[in-house]
Amino acid sequence: MDLWTSFGSLLGLFAFIQTIMPVEYALGRLGSSLFDYLSWYNYFEVHEIVGINSNDLYSWVQIYLSSTAFTSAQRATLCIPKNSKKTNYTLANSGKVCDKFKGANVWWQHISDEYRQSQISFWGERPDEKRYYTLQISKRDRDRVLQDYIDHITTQAKKLEFLNKEKQLYTNSRSQHNYEFNRKPWESVPFEHPSTFDTLALDTAKKQEILNDLQEFMRGKEFYHRVGRSWKRGYLLYGPPGTGKSSMIAAIANFTGYDVYDLELTEVKSNAELRKLLIHTTNKSIIVIEDIDCSVNLSDRAKRKKEKTTSEMPAKPKGEDEESRVTLSGLLNFTDGLWSCCGSERIIIFTTNHIDKLDPALLRSGRMDMHIFMSYCTFPAFKILAQNYLLISDHELFPQIEAIIDTAMMTPADVSEILIKKRDSVTEDPTEALEVLIEALKAAKDKPKAKEQGDFADGSEGVEATDMPQDEIKEEVGNSLADKRSAKQQTTSERIEKSSDGKSDCERGAASNQGEE
């Protein structure tokens, strides 16, 4: 009788437990616990979504496994992402792959489960699938391997992501309300400029100096952290138009693999907006401001103070508001202030045709660490252009070109224009192109000499860069050699008369913008 009473009590207890916990769930938990206890392995899940946020570790595991999935996985998924030319390999659903680390074997499996019903939360509708990776690792290797393995995956994935991503060229959005809801401050297109340091028309020694500086910067993370400086580098490219400043920027981008942010200052309405643009740039990027002397009023404050005492204040450009403009102070903080530390591994590049017009505070070390003078075409630079356009490394006319090119003051753009006009005759004989170039060099030698490197640095007077014979040389290529000299002399005299006031278009534009506080 007592036995039956006890048995009935157990049945009642079982019925009560079943009302608060389904039997299947209890048995499942019991079986799972028993399996985990007897198993030789530990299992870890890496979910794509954790709460309402995406899981960075899921993306890094996916990138890391993409480098091994196509060689060892029996089932993989192939895809070509938008704006990419490379095929990506990822584990297919339920696909499994083995990896080795420090002598231990680990297994990854990709799981994709569909939700049984659409689930909508306060944050919006959830995705249709729940995706995650399962890591299987031996219990005896867990403490020895696990954390180092995760760190290894993170490091390698970041490197692979950087190497495989397509470089982008960004520009700041043009709008009266750049930062309205859901509006991006930068717009981008794929960066496909072909310029490299191999094709760049620049002296070999100067080119190697720049390459060494870039390499030291890229591997300088520990150094910059140790000395307490933000991990950034500033380059100032200055010299006459047509000397390859934009090509230099493209070559730096292709060498480093960084994205390029082409900042148009005239579209930035305030210093605060400038800071917002800065914090929306990524690490490993190049921020470029071209023709900075013509963008906003960044001229030397000492010179402007003297001009204010001797003349009336020039009127502000139409539509410009005193409270909504980028100032020199704002740009100084942009390049070397507290806000410049909100990212790492950034390169800031300024270009200008007139370095003497910029305020010295903008040029000091820490803001513009390396000043690179982009000179007129030299003989070593010409040899690079000859290899690029004519496919020759030597010719009997090279000595004549070497004897005159340094005194002719022709830019690499001028020389390139002559060589590209004669590209159809390259396969037969490049002599004709070189003869036309020699005549153009002789004619350019008779022109008034433009500023050399020292003149650009100290601000002395000279013929503006706009007086260079670019237009005349383009016209000469299609004419006979006799007509070239007379046409060139006539054009030169006309241009000298037009520039007799000693001011360039850029100077006149800057003069109207000297009302900066």
Side-chain angles (χ1 to χ4, degrees), residues 449-463:
K449 292 184 178 180
K451 299 177 181 180
E452 299 194 36
Q453 179 174 358
D455 298 322
F456 274 90
D458 61 18
S460 59
E461 295 297 331
V463 179

Side-chain angles (χ1 to χ4, degrees), residues 14 17-29:
F14 181 76
I17 293 175
Q18 188 176 10
T19 59
I20 62 175
M21 182 183 297
V23 177
E24 295 84 353
Y25 178 78
L27 293 177
R29 290 293 301 273

Side-chain angles (χ1 to χ4, degrees), residues 225-236:
H225 179 73
R226 177 169 57 84
V227 301
R229 294 184 57 177
S230 57
W231 191 8
K232 64 181 180 63
R233 191 73 172 160
Y235 293 94
L236 176 69

